[in-house]
């Protein structure tokens, strides 16, 4: 992954984001790197890209104070960094590490809000004694803080968290390939409501989207590559209670190719990629993170860097 990230910088990508999971979405050939360590290595190996987490849950696997300390260190060692937070809907990649029962949404969301409050306090104050419903600190100080606090991005797939993201975060994250009305009627309007209701509605605010793209000069190969991430096409009902990577992979492998490809922009035409990505740019997403499904990531990075990125910059800046 470090090699791929260095190559991404070399071929023209501006950022590298990593998700944080204890277990992956597949058992065979699956990977789940420890992002808090890996990002430090990324900062040492690259010189230009902005780095951060696109998925990180500061509520169960880590105490929020550890997330605050780690992300402060990334920011001091790198050109730019961001920290994401989410109230995840599923337990498939989080619970196996502790065996902790997965709570209902009300508790998950409350933990998220409390975590963000504590992280911000630790980034700006000394000797923080925090007494929350779920988390506590006693005279805690992060001694190596960045001059500018790390921006927090909140990931949301529903109205309530999207509004919170607008009100309380520096950025919003979601993923592509879902029904258009989810973006146009729920997520983005609720983010806008949250921004309007925040303490500083005129502040700079970032909208990030992880775009699922499968691009290759060979159209058949681009389509077949989506099999490696077929789990993304499972419905929430199909995967909500699945904790085992073996079972997740079994469910994904049973899907027909057409359904496996349903979340992805699949094409061998660079202009088609630009056009379809332009839909999300038109919605207001200016921070694009590309997720490619195939096993040959070096091939994807070189092809996308050569054929698609220049067209995107020419059209959108």
């Amino acid at each position: 992954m470090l090699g791929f990230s260095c190559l991404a910088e070399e071929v023209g990508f501006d950022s590298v984001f990593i998700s944080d999971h204890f277990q992956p979405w597949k058992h065979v050939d699956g990977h789940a790197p420890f992002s808090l360590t890996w990002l430090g290595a990324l900062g040492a190996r690259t010189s230009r890209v902005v780095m951060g987490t696109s998925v990180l849950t500061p509520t169960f696997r880590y105490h929020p104070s550890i997330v605050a300390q780690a992300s402060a260190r990334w920011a001091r060692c790198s050109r730019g960094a961001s920290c994401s937070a989410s109230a995840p809907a599923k337990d498939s990649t989080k619970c196996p590490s502790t065996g902790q029962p997965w709570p209902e949404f009300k508790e998950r969301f409350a933990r998220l809000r409390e975590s963000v409050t504590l992280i911000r306090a630790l980034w700006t104050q000394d000797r923080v004694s925090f007494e929350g419903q779920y988390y506590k600190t006693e005279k805690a100080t992060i001694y190596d803080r960045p001059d500018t606090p790390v921006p927090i991005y909140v990931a949301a797939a529903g109205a309530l968290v999207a509004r919170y993201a607008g009100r309380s975060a520096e950025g919003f994250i979601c993923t592509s390939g879902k029904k258009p009305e989810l973006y146009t009627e729920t997520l983005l309007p609720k983010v806008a409501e949250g921004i309007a209701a925040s303490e500083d509605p005129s502040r700079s605010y970032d909208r990030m989207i992880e775009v699922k793209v499968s691009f290759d000069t060979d159209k058949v190969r681009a389509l077949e590559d989506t099999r490696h991430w077929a789990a993304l096409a499972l419905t929430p009902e199909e995967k909500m209670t699945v904790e085992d990577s073996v079972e997740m992979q079994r469910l994904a492998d049973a899907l027909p190719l057409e359904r496996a490809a349903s979340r992805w922009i699949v094409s061998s035409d660079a202009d088609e990629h630009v056009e379809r990505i332009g839909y999300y740019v038109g919605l207001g997403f200016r921070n694009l993170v590309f997720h490619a499904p195939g096993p040959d990531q070096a091939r994807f990075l070189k092809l996308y860097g050569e054929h698609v990125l220049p067209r995107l910059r020419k059209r959108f800046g």
Side-chain angles (χ1 to χ4, degrees), residues 24 69 280:
Q69 182 188 29
Y280 297 105

Side-chain angles (χ1 to χ4, degrees), residues 105-271:
F105 171 78
K106 182 178 179 180
E107 179 180 334
R108 299 198 308 269
F109 188 28
R111 284 177 176 269
L112 172 64
R113 298 194 306 271
E114 190 172 299
S115 295
V116 171
T117 298
L118 175 54
I119 288 170
R120 286 217 170 96
L122 289 166
W123 282 343
T124 57
Q125 302 172 30
D126 294 333
R127 298 174 63 78
V128 177
S129 294
F130 185 88
E131 185 78 25
Q133 183 178 358
Y134 302 102
Y135 306 107
K136 298 178 182 179
T137 60
E138 184 174 349
K139 299 177 182 176
T141 300
I142 293 177
Y143 285 87
D144 296 291
R145 300 195 293 258
D147 295 332
T148 302
V150 181
I152 293 178
Y153 288 61
V154 169
L160 195 62
V161 182
R163 193 176 192 279
Y164 169 75
R167 187 178 70 252
S168 302
E170 283 74 50
F172 165 66
I173 303 177
C174 66
T175 59
S176 70
K178 298 181 179 180
K179 293 181 179 180
E181 55 267 26
L182 177 64
Y183 308 105
T184 60
E185 298 177 13
T186 301
L187 296 180
L188 292 173
K190 289 299 179 181
V191 168
E193 283 184 18
I195 294 172
S198 68
E199 294 182 358
D200 183 10
S202 62
R203 74 190 189 280
S204 175
Y205 193 88
D206 193 15
R207 294 163 180 82
M208 176 190 293
I209 188 164
E210 185 180 277
V211 188
K212 312 296 184 184
V213 294
S214 190
F215 176 79
D216 199 284
T217 49
D218 180 346
K219 175 66 178 293
V220 173
R221 182 170 183 165
L223 185 63
E224 289 286 341
D225 278 350
T226 63
R227 290 188 185 275
H228 296 278
W229 273 88
L232 291 179
L234 294 168
T235 66
E237 292 74 23
E238 288 172 321
K239 62 189 176 185
M240 183 73 73
T241 60
V242 180
E243 300 180 16
D244 189 343
S245 296
V246 173
E247 175 63 9
M248 183 73 79
Q249 183 163 353
R250 186 192 69 79
L251 292 172
D253 288 347
L255 297 178
L257 179 57
E258 293 74 16
R259 188 171 167 198
S262 62
R263 286 286 305 277
W264 303 83
I265 297 174
V266 182
S267 178
S268 57
D269 184 341
D271 289 325

Side-chain angles (χ1 to χ4, degrees), residues 3-57:
F4 295 148
S5 299
C6 293
L7 177 59
E9 181 176 70
E10 179 183 327
V11 300
F13 287 83
D14 297 318
S15 62
V16 174
F17 286 83
I18 185 172
S19 58
D20 184 89
H21 298 297
F22 181 77
Q23 292 193 170
W25 291 72
K26 59 190 301 187
H27 179 64
V28 178
D29 298 325
H31 298 278
F34 185 61
S35 70
L36 303 187
T37 299
W38 187 87
L39 280 164
L42 175 67
R45 289 280 298 274
T46 56
S47 60
R48 182 181 58 81
V49 291
V50 173
M51 57 187 245
T53 54
S54 57
V55 173
L56 178 68
T57 309

